[in-house]
């Protein structure tokens, strides 16, 4: 399996290729000629037009059969956009495209840098080179949505007057609505906004936080939706657990609701009858009090659902700080600083941040979340030094620490230092450089990767 970096390419075998992009994304594709232009609107494959010769879209699964493309076609470009167009891309996890061979082998995977203002990304392209076909990683972003992509690929786009919040442009072929709108599909205005507080949740919560010097939190509609879903699943079976009877973990619900976080915490409780009783319960023990009053959290969601048999209330409270590129960089820097503090105490020189190791570490954390595993070796056998080399690192010595569930740089570095094997990596004299990756949304919350090079 090849871990691609932007601009990297790899040869492809004969047969049908499958492209998968897990997460809250819409996938589409453009079929073009050598000049990169479509022949007509039939070359745009998306949710309302899910098939073209040699290309078929089934949900988030795109299949490409290069020999069956229309005559003159020499390239298929894979495009991804938020499934909910009201969700800013920087609140979503980085999309990861995984390419699978006809026999089920994973051929390649690519995770582009996290988008900032871009609303659409060109992830990868299948292209013909002579008589063979190859795959190239792209990662090119567009801030003006699918309409901008359509323009660049030769589809006529007509700007229409739209009401506030509505799509600003439509890609058309002579019949209204034939192409995808600039705003994508689905979603509802304000899905990412801050909700009302009909239960009076914020008063007692923020009073308790203020008593410890922590800033107030505000309700987020997506966190509330995730909390409601989890509380409902627990109540339906009368079971209190981070993994509900429907098999979904609470942190997975958060990401599925369209909320990308830097850190997350939760309270799963049954019994309290009112919000005040719930808050009092959370304050009754040190671990749950620490979560309720954690100054890192800025947003929250709360739901309570009765057990249909007994009437007992099942509560889910979610606490989080939303993802931002600046927050990711700040968190990674703090992990490096804490790591170097430990090295300095042992009389060792500091490690230098390394962009290539950082890219590989971030990709591994995101991969563990996306494919629901926790290991140094990926499901197809990729190891830390393989990932470092694929990202362009030339370090001869490579080591890796991983962790999951910790909520802060201090917590994760302390956990590594408390483990002899992880501590040995942090204090290894041969290492000179370091990359940090973290991603949220798996079973255990946040997944951390330290990738060392020397």
């Amino acid at each position: 399996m090849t871990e691609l970096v932007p601009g990297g390419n790899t040869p492809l075998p004969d047969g049908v290729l499958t492209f998968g992009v897990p997460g809250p994304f819409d996938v589409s594709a453009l079929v073009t000629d050598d000049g990169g232009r479509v022949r007509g609107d039939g070359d745009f494959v998306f949710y309302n037009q899910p098939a073209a010769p040699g290309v078929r879209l089934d949900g988030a699964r795109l299949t490409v059969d290069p020999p069956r493309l229309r005559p003159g076609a020499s390239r298929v470009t894979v495009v991804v956009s938020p499934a909910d167009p009201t969700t800013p891309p920087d609140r979503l996890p980085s999309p990861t495209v995984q390419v699978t061979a006809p026999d089920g082998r994973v051929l390649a995977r690519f995770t582009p840098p996290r988008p900032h203002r871009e609303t659409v990304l060109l992830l990868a392209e299948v292209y013909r080179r002579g008589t063979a076909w190859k795959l190239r990683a792209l990662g090119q972003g567009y801030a003006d949505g699918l309409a901008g992509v359509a323009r660049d690929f030769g589809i006529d786009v007509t700007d229409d007057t739209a009401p506030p919040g509505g799509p600003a442009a439509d890609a058309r072929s002579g019949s209204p609505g034939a192409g995808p709108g600039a705003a994508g599909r689905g979603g509802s205005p304000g899905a990412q906004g801050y909700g009302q507080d009909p239960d009076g949740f914020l008063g007692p919560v923020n009073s308790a936080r203020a008593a410890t010097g922590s800033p107030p939190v505000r309700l987020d509609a997506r966190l509330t939706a995730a909390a409601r879903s989890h509380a409902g699943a627990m109540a339906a079976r009368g079971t209190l657990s981070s993994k509900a009877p429907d098999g979904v973990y609470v942190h997975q619900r958060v990401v599925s609701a369209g909320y990308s976080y830097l850190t997350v915490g939760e309270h799963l409780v049954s019994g309290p009858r009112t919000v005040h009783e719930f808050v009092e319960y959370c304050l009754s023990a040190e671990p749950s009090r620490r979560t309720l009053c954690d100054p890192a959290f800025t947003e929250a969601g709360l739901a309570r659902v009765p057990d249909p048999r007994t009437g007992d209330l099942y509560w889910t409270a979610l606490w989080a700080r939303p993802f931002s590129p600046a927050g990711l960089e700040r968190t990674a820097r703090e992990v490096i600083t804490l790591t170097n503090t430990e090295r300095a105490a042992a009389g060792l020189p500091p490690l230098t941040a390394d962009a290539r190791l950082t890219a590989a570490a971030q990709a591994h954390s995101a991969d563990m979340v996306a494919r629901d595993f926790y290991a140094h070796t990926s499901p197809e056998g990729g190891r830390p030094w393989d990932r470092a080399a694929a990202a362009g690192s030339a370090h001869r010595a490579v080591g890796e620490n991983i962790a999951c569930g910790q909520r802060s740089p201090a917590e994760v570095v302390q956990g590594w230092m408390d483990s002899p094997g992880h501590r040995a990596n942090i204090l290894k004299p041969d290492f000179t450089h370091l990359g940090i990756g973290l991603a949220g949304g798996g079973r255990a919350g946040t997944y951390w990767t330290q990738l060392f090079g020397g």
Side-chain angles (χ1 to χ4, degrees), residues 11 36 44 64 94-95 133 217 268 286 291 305 346 373 447 454:
F44 209 148
V64 178
S94 293
W133 291 85
V217 294
L268 309 176
E286 180 56 31
T291 297
V305 177
F373 75 97
Y447 288 65

Side-chain angles (χ1 to χ4, degrees), residues 169-382:
D170 238 67
R172 298 175 181 258
S173 64
S175 58
R185 63 165 177 177
S188 58
Q192 72 199 50
Y194 300 104
Q196 301 299 313
D197 187 18
D199 295 317
F201 176 56
L202 292 181
V205 164
N206 285 331
S207 176
R209 288 175 63 86
T212 64
S214 294
V217 294
R218 52 188 178 180
L219 290 179
D220 181 272
R222 295 159 301 175
L223 290 175
T224 297
R228 185 178 302 111
S229 175
H230 198 77
M234 292 191 300
R237 296 285 292 274
T239 301
L240 196 67
S241 174
S242 61
K243 179 185 180 181
D246 61 1
V248 182
Y249 286 79
V250 64
H251 306 109
Q252 294 171 323
R253 295 187 197 278
V254 173
V255 173
S256 295
Y259 190 99
S260 183
Y261 59 82
L262 279 175
T263 185
V264 70
E266 72 283 339
H267 284 103
L268 309 176
V269 179
S270 66
R273 294 162 296 178
T274 67
V275 170
H276 284 276
E277 287 185 10
F278 171 79
V279 172
E280 288 174 4
Y281 176 88
C282 293
L283 293 172
S284 65
E286 180 56 31
S288 60
R289 181 190 302 115
R290 198 161 53 240
T291 297
L292 178 72
C293 299
D294 192 328
F297 299 136
T298 60
E299 296 176 347
L302 174 76
R304 55 184 175 184
V305 177
D307 182 322
R309 298 168 297 276
T310 66
D312 291 340
L313 292 178
Y314 282 76
W315 299 73
T316 298
L318 295 168
W319 318 88
R321 175 181 289 272
F323 173 88
S324 69
L328 178 65
E329 293 173 8
R330 183 174 59 250
T331 303
R333 283 198 306 270
E334 189 172 347
V335 173
I336 293 175
T337 297
L338 292 170
T339 299
N340 283 333
T341 298
E342 299 292 347
R343 287 177 64 89
L348 295 170
L351 302 173
T352 301
D354 184 292
R356 292 183 176 88
L357 293 177
T358 297
Q362 184 63 37
H364 188 56
S365 288
D367 189 30
M368 288 191 289
V369 170
R371 294 201 284 170
D372 193 20
F373 75 97
Y374 177 66
H376 293 288
T377 302
S378 66
E380 62 280 344

